[in-house]
Amino acid sequence: MQADIDIASFLTSFSIGFCYLNEETFAYNKLIERWFFEQGITPTDLSVRLRKWAADGDFLQRMDGFLWEGRLLAEPHGFAWLIFPWETKESHVAAEYEHLYAELKSVFAAAYDEIFVTDGEGYTVRVNGACERNYGLTAEQMVGKHVTELVAQGIFSPSATLDVIKQRKQINLVQQTQNGRRLLVTATPVFTQDGQLIRVVSNSRDITELLNLREQLDQLQERVETYEETLQLREEASGIKLTVRSSSMLAVLSKIEKVAKVDSTVLLLGESGVGKTHLARYLHNMSPRKQEPFLSVNCSALPESLIESELFGYERGAFSGAHEKGKKGLFEAANGGTLFLDEIGELPLSMQAKLLNVLQEKQFFRIGGTTPIQVDVRIVAATNQDLKKKVEEKTFRNDLYYRLNVIPITIPPLRERQEDIVPLAIRFLEEFKETYGIEKKLSYTAAEELRRAQWPGNIRELRNFLERIVVTADEDVITAEHITRALYDDEEAPPPEPEEGMTLKDQLERYEGQIIRRAYEECGSTYKLAEMLGISQSSAMRKVNKYVKEL
């Protein structure tokens, strides 16, 4: 956690020379360059000489008319050398030392991470402001106290300093403080040339929030694993492939599972393409009727003249062109099982009364028949229309509406459950691979483009959209460019049309996101992105974090 500090820059305007050395660094100010390097002494020669003096313990040298005074710093293998013209030393050395001390003290106090210094025996000699923040004590309350006393008072535990004193080597550990903070501590010993431990310098960083996030991530991972197991059990029990991640759809599945246990009529509400048929079959497969037939009919797909015969069947010779043996209707064929009436809002008024009678009496007559047929059928209906409004408009029977609306379940549109979009897309790509033998992968930026699209046609539109790209695209990886061009069906991918309910800011951000994702996918780095778009690199990084890295 040690940070490199350019101490030499503090002394640029001083009248003394300054050199700073540690294991990796050799820094010096302008006076050193003028006094020595211009005379032929190289930085390498000088650093070797200073390191040798320090290794020999010679911290006071006189050479070439200059006085060299060295100081061992409170860090591993760190030294500072002050160089004075011999004849001027006495006139300013005290002031220069005072100035240097003030500067170094300011650096020490300004450090964001904690710096906690003890002597070789474990008595606290210096702390910075981060210590006060981490431990809830002032510097006066800590300086002079032995670390064992601070541990005994519960200020922090364990003590890395004590471990350093015992083991005489650098120690890393996680420390708990009295105010509930957790710190990552690196404690380093400082030795003299004869091996005497004179300082222990501890650098600590507050990792409380990081550890909290890690714990939350672990809990989230456990929930995800539990969710995956639950989803797998659901799929095994129903025989239906489920691709659900959003909380809203998980709530829908839970409600369906509850009502599946009873025979109450269910009305599935939602826009076209949200998966009502899929969920109706899931309801049937989770019910006690799962071994019996599941039949469905789209009420808007049949001519009015055929609906009655499709639903209730007919007797032999009931009308011209009828099959000579007659025909079972869907109600009769679904006996014991489930009949799914999709687009129930399109059912003609003339048929609504007959349907109501079947729901109430659980019997019906075939066309041309005189004998009532008893049936035991679970009815699941679905519509993308506002049936209550149709009742007010007298285009849908009020009594049938209430007979169907026993347990309404609203399925949210895909744009309101964005967490499901990318998993659904990946599932569809796997299905297309099996169907067409064409394998396509989805890039991160393409996935984000899919997630941000509105999908007015919902799941059906998403599936057809991806099928078109899989069949027509030459590349093996689907990119953001594929998505935007296919969405707008234009080589230039113009900005989206203004949408009701979206502010100008939202629409501009949406278009900006498309530009950033396509450009970043082409560039591969924020530096190239900044150059391409004529913006600063920091601005490019912020936009990538906003529009790309949130996947």
Side-chain angles (χ1 to χ4, degrees):
M1 279 198 248
Q2 188 107 7
D4 291 334
I5 301 174
D6 186 11
I7 300 177
S9 65
F10 296 130
L11 303 172
T12 300
S13 61
F14 284 18
S15 58
I16 62 172
F18 175 81
C19 295
Y20 164 75
L21 302 90
N22 63 18
E23 288 183 328
E24 301 177 351
T25 304
F26 178 42
Y28 42 83
N29 66 356
K30 295 292 185 181
L31 287 175
I32 297 298
E33 295 180 2
R34 187 169 75 246
W35 289 346
F36 300 103
F37 298 160
E38 292 179 1
Q39 308 304 319
I41 299 178
T42 67
T44 300
D45 292 338
L46 184 57
S47 66
V48 169
R49 182 178 301 178
L50 294 178
R51 292 180 192 278
K52 184 178 186 307
W53 286 348
D56 295 338
D58 298 328
F59 287 101
L60 187 63
Q61 292 285 335
R62 183 173 180 179
M63 180 185 72
D64 298 331
F66 291 89
L67 179 67
W68 301 71
E69 291 191 4
R71 290 290 184 272
L72 178 66
L73 300 180
E75 63 171 272
H77 309 292
F79 305 92
W81 290 88
L82 304 181
I83 301 92
F84 308 93
W86 177 255
E87 65 277 6
T88 64
K89 174 182 184 297
E90 295 300 330
S91 64
H92 65 256
V93 64
E96 299 294 2
Y97 267 118
E98 184 177 349
H99 192 176
L100 174 63
Y101 176 75
E103 294 287 358
L104 295 179
K105 187 177 180 180
S106 298
V107 173
F108 183 86
Y112 179 79
D113 290 336
E114 174 188 317
I115 304 176
F116 187 100
V117 184
T118 72
D119 62 17
E121 296 180 357
Y123 287 94
T124 308
V125 297
R126 185 175 295 279
V127 297
N128 69 347
C131 289
E132 299 178 336
R133 183 176 67 247
N134 289 337
Y135 302 131
L137 298 176
T138 64
E140 290 75 13
Q141 291 174 306
M142 289 182 279
V143 172
K145 291 187 177 180
H146 198 276
V147 289
T148 55
E149 184 179 353
L150 297 174
V151 171
Q153 293 176 357
I155 306 302
F156 55 75
S157 180
S159 169
T161 299
L162 293 177
D163 288 345
V164 168
I165 293 173
K166 291 177 183 178
Q167 302 180 37
R168 297 175 64 82
K169 66 178 184 179
Q170 188 178 79
I171 297 294
N172 296 282
L173 54 78
V174 175
Q175 187 179 84
Q176 183 83 28
T177 72
Q178 67 173 351
N179 53 8
R181 311 306 293 175
R182 283 176 287 184
L183 312 177
L184 179 60
V185 184
T186 299
T188 305
V190 179
F191 298 100
T192 62
Q193 292 302 310
D194 58 2
Q196 179 183 358
L197 178 64
I198 59 172
R199 291 284 187 275
V200 177
V201 181
S202 297
N203 295 88
S204 303
R205 173 161 294 179
D206 190 343
I207 58 171
T208 306
E209 298 305 321
L210 180 62
L211 293 178
N212 288 341
L213 288 174
R214 178 59 184 270
E215 291 174 1
Q216 293 174 16
L217 181 61
D218 291 341
Q219 293 172 3
L220 179 61
Q221 181 64 33
E222 291 178 5
R223 289 199 296 270
V224 169
E225 291 174 357
T226 301
Y227 156 76
E228 295 290 352
E229 293 174 0
T230 303
L231 196 61
Q232 183 176 357
L233 292 174
R234 282 171 163 165
E235 292 180 350
E236 292 174 355
S238 65
I240 300 292
K241 181 71 174 179
L242 298 171
T243 306
V244 177
R245 297 294 183 274
S246 62
S247 58
S248 59
M249 278 304 296
L250 288 172
V252 167
L253 289 182
S254 297
K255 189 170 184 179
I256 288 177
E257 290 163 9
K258 289 179 181 179
V259 303
K261 300 174 183 178
V262 297
D263 281 339
S264 300
T265 302
V266 174
L267 180 61
L268 299 178
L269 304 170
E271 298 177 4
S272 177
V274 293
K276 295 188 288 293
T277 302
H278 195 72
L279 291 176
R281 184 175 290 277
Y282 178 70
L283 186 153
H284 170 76
N285 288 4
M286 295 298 288
S287 74
R289 298 173 180 265
K290 63 181 179 181
Q291 301 301 329
E292 303 300 329
F294 173 85
L295 300 179
S296 66
V297 59
N298 189 319
C299 298
S300 66
L302 293 174
E304 184 174 349
S305 59
L306 296 179
I307 291 179
E308 184 176 3
S309 65
E310 286 294 320
L311 291 178
F312 306 118
Y314 54 83
E315 296 290 352
R316 180 177 59 180
F319 51 83
S320 177
H323 194 279
E324 62 180 11
K325 293 184 179 180
K327 178 185 175 182
K328 285 184 178 181
L330 291 174
F331 268 97
E332 194 172 351
N335 190 32
T338 302
L339 179 60
F340 176 51
L341 303 175
D342 197 9
E343 303 298 347
I344 191 68
E346 300 294 336
L347 192 67
L349 276 170
S350 60
M351 287 301 304
Q352 293 178 23
K354 295 182 179 181
L355 175 60
L356 177 63
N357 183 68
V358 177
L359 295 178
Q360 291 175 340
E361 304 300 333
K362 297 189 180 300
Q363 66 178 21
F364 63 91
F365 292 89
R366 285 183 178 181
I367 298 176
T370 57
T371 304
I373 299 174
Q374 296 288 330
V375 289
D376 174 23
V377 177
R378 170 66 173 284
I379 297 297
V380 178
T383 183
N384 59 7
Q385 299 186 33
D386 185 347
L387 290 186
K388 197 168 185 180
K389 184 177 180 181
K390 289 180 70 70
V391 168
E392 295 172 354
E393 295 172 348
K394 307 298 183 182
T395 58
F396 199 86
R397 290 180 62 104
N398 185 61
D399 47 5
L400 179 58
Y401 169 70
Y402 287 112
R403 191 67 182 79
L404 293 173
N405 196 43
V406 178
I407 301 179
I409 299 177
T410 300
I411 304 166
L414 195 56
R415 62 183 173 274
E416 293 180 6
R417 44 185 173 112
Q418 292 182 329
E419 305 96 318
D420 294 337
I421 293 176
V422 174
L424 280 168
I426 294 172
R427 188 188 104 191
F428 293 149
L429 292 179
E430 293 173 352
E431 291 178 1
F432 298 146
K433 178 183 176 182
E434 295 178 2
T435 303
Y436 302 121
I438 302 175
E439 183 175 5
K440 300 287 185 184
K441 300 294 184 182
L442 197 66
S443 71
Y444 285 118
T445 52
E448 176 64 2
E449 205 67 57
L450 287 175
R451 194 180 71 82
R452 288 176 175 268
Q454 292 300 298
W455 304 114
N458 293 293
I459 297 175
R460 185 182 296 116
E461 181 187 8
L462 175 64
R463 191 182 195 284
N464 295 341
F465 174 84
L466 287 171
E467 184 174 6
R468 181 165 70 251
I469 293 179
V470 166
V471 172
T472 60
D474 296 325
E475 295 80 5
D476 293 333
V477 177
I478 298 174
T479 66
E481 184 174 2
H482 288 113
I483 302 300
T484 52
R485 287 188 176 179
L487 278 173
Y488 304 112
D489 196 25
D490 191 301
E491 290 298 317
E492 297 300 322
E497 293 294 325
E499 293 192 26
E500 186 177 352
M502 287 185 70
T503 65
L504 176 62
K505 179 182 178 183
D506 292 337
Q507 294 183 61
L508 289 175
E509 285 189 352
R510 179 180 172 189
Y511 186 44
E512 182 182 55
Q514 293 170 2
I515 296 174
I516 295 299
R517 285 188 290 276
R518 291 181 62 183
Y520 183 70
E521 194 163 48
E522 180 180 343
C523 297
S525 74
T526 56
Y527 295 99
K528 293 181 180 179
L529 178 68
E531 183 178 353
M532 172 187 284
L533 300 181
I535 59 178
S536 67
Q537 195 272 332
S538 59
S539 179
M541 184 175 295
R542 286 195 301 272
K543 293 183 184 299
V544 167
N545 287 332
K546 179 178 182 180
Y547 295 116
V548 180
K549 297 300 180 63
E550 66 180 12
L551 293 174

